[in-house]
């Protein structure tokens, strides 16, 4: 008997044998732990108990929602071409526009948001692959999708089907079809797959992700680890998340269990409406750890509509560099609370320049919608109709100013980062130290500007930052270029010295700093 206790498999086998012989589990456990009573001494919970009624009502809602959507959930198998694998594995995931989104601090020690089927080779029939030599053979991977139109239109993730190769779709009823067309948008990780099934297919209704509230119940449907028709429950944990894995991000965060294979599957509300497309997880193990991300369905609808119409996505742009407003910047700008999107620079001949937008403007309203942060502004601008005139409110010197901006379509490859370059340190004799602030600066010569990828930029380049100084605590570092002190441009060391002569670390001084990733404001201030 002791051997059975140590071996779970043998214990289960023993229970099965005992059950078949009529002795049952009660007799088995009696032998382990002494006698057991045949009946519980606790009275059964009444069927009309308020707690039980409420629990059963929630259970019924889960069941009804799952039953409504599951027939539209499909499994997707992607047989990738060898040359495509090599390109995809070498390409950087994500990419920035202006200032690249950074991974939240609480996730810094975790691998970057596991791409589901890529992180667990060997699962669900996938072939092992070698990152060192990925082009030796093709790779097979799998994910999930959801039918959104009876004609055979399927929503999924770009990283499930992108890169070419054969796409096979297996329906809920077991039928399989090879995709006739695949349309992708890497910037949001959304893709559309078309199949011809010879008749109408069951499809899921798309909901309204804007109406979601934090704490709302949701279900995640898909094929985790190749286990078809799997449903997990959780809530909306947060909205508008940006985690640095795609160029345009406003993810829904959920604690509904999402695992490898769920990628591209639907996140649904209790009415059986799709409100998101499951995309990524934050995990140090490769599996579920309570933090999953989905593209809001309103974004997926907007993207898929354009893909189906034109085969590509048309996004509008302003032509500004922006950053979030923290409390230190709010204090410098005379704002009661940190809100809106702070303009760091305005591009020449851009829609923003034509509208009269200026550096240090804080955009607080766009198209009649209040702007809480820079990500919200990016999303609102991108989805504005190309060529439309949109009212925009900015805070300028503490006053609200209303502008009208006519947005234009983003140029090709707009916002992609330049290649990183190394700084050739200027002549030490030309540099100047500012011990009070803990930094050293030098003229930004043409050669230095070229090395930094900042042609036609005027300012001073930081050559050294003292450890533990106010400059280091503010985030300043060598190779950064300071172009403004407050609202005053500083095109030389002398101009910088003059602008800083009256600066107070107690009140703080705001600097406009430029790097290869874009421009941002920083505040030098004593603690």
């Amino acid at each position: 008997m002791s051997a059975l206790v140590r071996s779970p498999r043998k214990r289960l086998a023993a229970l099965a044998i005992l059950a078949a012989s009529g002795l049952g589990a009660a007799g088995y456990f009696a032998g382990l732990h002494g006698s057991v009573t045949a009946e519980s001494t606790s009275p059964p919970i009444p069927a009309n108990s308020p707690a039980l009624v409420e629990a059963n009502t929630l259970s019924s809602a889960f069941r009804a929602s799952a039953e409504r959507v599951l027939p539209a959930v499909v499994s997707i198998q992607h047989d990738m071409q060898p040359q495509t694998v090599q390109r995809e594995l070498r390409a950087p995931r994500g990419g920035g526009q202006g200032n690249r989104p950074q991974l939240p601090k609480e996730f810094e020690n975790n691998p970057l948001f596991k791409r589901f089927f890529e992180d667990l080779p060997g699962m669900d029939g996938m072939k092992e692959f070698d990152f060192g030599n990925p082009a030796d053979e093709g790779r097979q991977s799998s994910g999930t999708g959801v039918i959104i139109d009876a004609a055979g239109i399927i929503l999924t993730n770009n990283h499930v089907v992108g890169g070419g190769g054969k796409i096979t779709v297996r329906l809920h009823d077991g039928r399989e079809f090879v995709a006739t067309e695949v349309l992708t948008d890497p910037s949001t990780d959304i893709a559309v797959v078309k199949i011809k099934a010879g008749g109408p297919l069951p499809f899921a209704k798309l909901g309204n992700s804007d109406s979601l509230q934090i704490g709302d119940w949701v279900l995640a449907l898909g094929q985790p680890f190749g286990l078809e028709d799997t449903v997990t429950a959780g809530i909306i944990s947060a909205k508008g998340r940006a985690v640095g894995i795609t160029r345009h991000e406003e993810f829904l965060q959920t604690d509904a269990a999402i695992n490898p294979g769920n990628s591209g599957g639907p996140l649904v509300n209790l009415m059986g409406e799709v409100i998101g497309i499951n995309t990524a997880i934050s995990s140090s193990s490769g599996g579920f750890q309570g933090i999953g991300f989905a593209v809001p369905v309103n974004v997926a609808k907007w993207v898929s509509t354009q893909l189906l119409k034109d085969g590509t996505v048309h996004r509008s742009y302003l032509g500004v560099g922006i950053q979030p407003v923290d409390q230190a910047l709010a204090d410098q700008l005379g704002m009661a609370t940190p809100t809106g999107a702070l303009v760091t620079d305005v591009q020449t001949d851009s829609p923003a320049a034509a509208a009269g937008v200026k550096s240090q403007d804080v955009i607080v309203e766009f198209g009649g919608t209040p702007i809480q942060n820079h990500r919200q502004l990016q999303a609102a601008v991108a989805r504005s109709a190309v060529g439309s005139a949109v009212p925009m409110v900015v805070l300028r010197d503490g006053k609200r100013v209303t502008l009208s901006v006519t947005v234009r379509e983003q140029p090709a490859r707009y916002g992609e980062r330049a290649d990183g370059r190394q700084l050739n340190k200027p002549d030490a004799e030309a540099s100047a130290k500012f011990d009070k602030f803990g930094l050293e600066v030098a003229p930004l010569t043409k050669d230095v500007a070229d090395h930094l990828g900042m042609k036609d930029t005027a300012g001073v380049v930081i050559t050294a930052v003292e450890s533990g100084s106010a400059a280091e605590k503010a985030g300043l570092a060598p190779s950064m270029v300071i172009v403004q002190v407050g609202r005053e441009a500083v095109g030389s060391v002398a101009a910088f010295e003059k602008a800083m002569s009256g600066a107070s670390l107690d009140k703080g001084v705001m600097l406009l700093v430029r790097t290869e990733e874009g421009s941002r404001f920083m505040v030098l201030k004593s603690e």
Side-chain angles (χ1 to χ4, degrees):
M1 195 64 71
S2 59
L4 289 173
V5 175
R6 288 195 299 268
S7 174
R9 288 188 178 180
K10 292 182 179 179
R11 184 191 312 168
L12 291 174
L15 286 173
I17 294 171
L18 291 169
S21 65
L23 181 57
Y28 170 68
F29 283 110
L32 289 178
H33 305 294
S35 61
V36 294
T37 56
E39 297 182 359
S40 171
T41 57
S42 300
I45 300 175
N48 62 352
S49 165
L52 188 58
V53 169
E54 186 173 348
N56 285 333
T57 299
L58 182 60
S59 179
S60 296
F62 287 163
R63 185 166 55 250
S65 177
E67 288 175 350
R68 182 173 182 180
V69 181
L70 274 174
V73 177
V74 302
S75 174
I76 297 176
Q77 181 176 295
H78 187 187
D79 294 293
M80 302 182 70
Q81 299 169 348
Q83 65 271 24
T84 303
V85 176
Q86 187 174 30
R87 283 200 305 270
E88 183 183 66
L89 294 179
R90 290 180 177 179
R93 292 175 184 166
Q97 179 175 342
N99 297 309
R100 186 182 181 185
Q102 297 297 311
L103 195 65
K105 290 183 179 180
E106 60 267 30
F107 302 147
E108 285 178 352
N109 295 325
N110 290 348
L112 177 61
F113 294 83
K114 304 293 185 183
R115 294 291 193 175
F116 301 132
F117 56 80
E118 295 177 346
D119 288 308
L120 291 181
M123 296 305 300
D124 192 22
M126 289 183 288
K127 297 178 181 178
E128 296 281 348
F129 59 91
D130 181 6
F131 279 81
N133 191 14
D136 286 346
E137 61 176 339
R139 178 161 62 90
Q140 186 182 85
S141 57
S142 63
T144 305
V146 58
I147 303 171
I148 61 170
D149 189 282
I153 296 174
I154 298 164
L155 268 183
T156 186
N157 284 143
N158 168 70
H159 76 263
V160 170
V161 297
K166 179 182 177 183
I167 305 296
T168 303
V169 176
R170 185 168 65 249
L171 304 185
H172 181 73
D173 61 15
R175 289 182 293 165
E176 293 188 358
F177 300 91
V178 175
T180 58
E181 188 174 9
V182 176
L183 304 165
T184 64
D185 179 45
S187 291
T188 54
D189 201 16
I190 288 296
V192 173
V193 175
K194 293 183 179 181
I195 61 173
K196 292 183 178 179
L201 295 173
F203 64 95
K205 180 181 179 182
L206 302 183
N208 177 14
S209 53
D210 289 344
S211 65
L212 284 174
Q213 300 295 320
I214 295 173
D216 283 352
W217 281 104
V218 289
L219 303 180
L221 287 70
Q223 332 285 335
F225 302 109
L227 300 171
E228 295 185 359
D229 300 338
T230 296
V231 180
T232 57
I235 62 169
I236 295 295
S237 305
K239 299 173 63 177
R241 289 295 199 208
V243 294
I245 57 175
T246 60
R247 287 186 60 193
H248 297 278
E249 300 183 322
E250 44 188 311
F251 291 118
L252 301 171
Q253 181 182 329
T254 179
D255 66 350
I258 296 174
N259 281 292
N262 276 117
S263 194
L267 190 70
V268 305
N269 60 22
L270 295 191
M271 293 183 290
E273 298 171 333
V274 178
I275 48 83
I277 300 298
N278 301 320
T279 298
I281 57 175
S282 173
S283 174
S284 58
S285 65
F288 172 68
Q289 289 187 307
I291 299 176
F293 297 92
V295 177
V297 77
N298 286 10
V299 174
K301 282 191 288 188
W302 179 75
V303 168
S304 61
T305 298
Q306 294 198 67
L307 288 176
L308 289 167
K309 179 182 178 183
D310 299 327
T312 189
V313 179
H314 304 283
R315 291 183 172 88
S316 295
Y317 86 115
L318 282 179
V320 294
I322 56 175
Q323 72 176 88
V325 180
D326 59 19
Q327 189 60 58
L329 287 171
D331 292 341
Q332 294 294 312
L333 296 166
M335 299 171 60
T337 57
T339 189
L342 175 59
V343 177
T344 58
D345 55 9
V346 180
Q347 299 166 9
T348 305
D349 299 326
S350 65
V357 179
K358 298 180 179 180
S359 177
Q360 291 194 30
D361 282 350
V362 180
I363 301 173
V364 294
E365 192 174 302
F366 186 85
T369 301
I371 299 299
Q372 302 298 323
N373 55 59
H374 63 300
R375 295 190 301 273
Q376 186 181 8
L377 175 66
Q378 289 175 326
V381 171
R383 294 204 291 269
S384 298
V386 174
S388 62
V390 184
M392 185 170 70
V393 178
V394 303
L395 290 181
R396 182 179 296 168
D397 297 326
K399 298 179 181 179
R400 289 173 64 91
V401 178
T402 300
L403 305 172
S404 178
V405 56
T406 301
V407 295
R408 301 200 299 264
E409 184 170 358
Q410 283 183 11
R413 305 178 70 85
Y414 176 75
E416 292 188 3
R417 297 171 59 191
D419 292 336
R421 300 167 189 258
Q422 296 296 319
L423 170 65
N424 287 346
K425 189 172 181 179
D427 189 344
E429 295 182 358
S431 63
K433 290 184 178 181
F434 295 83
D435 294 333
K436 176 181 177 181
F437 306 103
L439 78 162
E440 178 182 278
V441 300
L444 182 65
T445 64
K446 181 180 183 300
D447 288 342
V448 172
D450 288 343
H451 276 290
L452 294 174
M454 284 183 254
K455 185 180 179 181
D456 300 327
T457 297
V460 294
V461 61
I462 299 175
T463 55
V465 173
E466 183 181 345
S467 177
S469 66
E472 184 187 56
K473 292 175 181 176
L476 297 176
S479 299
M480 289 182 173
V481 175
I482 301 172
V483 297
Q484 276 184 206
V485 176
R487 287 192 177 274
E488 187 175 347
V490 288
S492 66
V493 173
F496 179 74
E497 186 173 10
K498 180 181 178 182
M500 295 291 285
S501 61
S504 168
L505 282 176
D506 292 331
K507 293 182 179 179
V509 55
M510 187 165 64
L511 307 177
L512 179 58
V513 178
R514 188 163 295 163
T515 69
E516 62 180 359
E517 294 184 345
S519 300
R520 67 183 299 106
F521 286 100
M522 295 182 172
V523 178
L524 276 173
K525 191 174 183 180
S526 58
E527 293 184 354

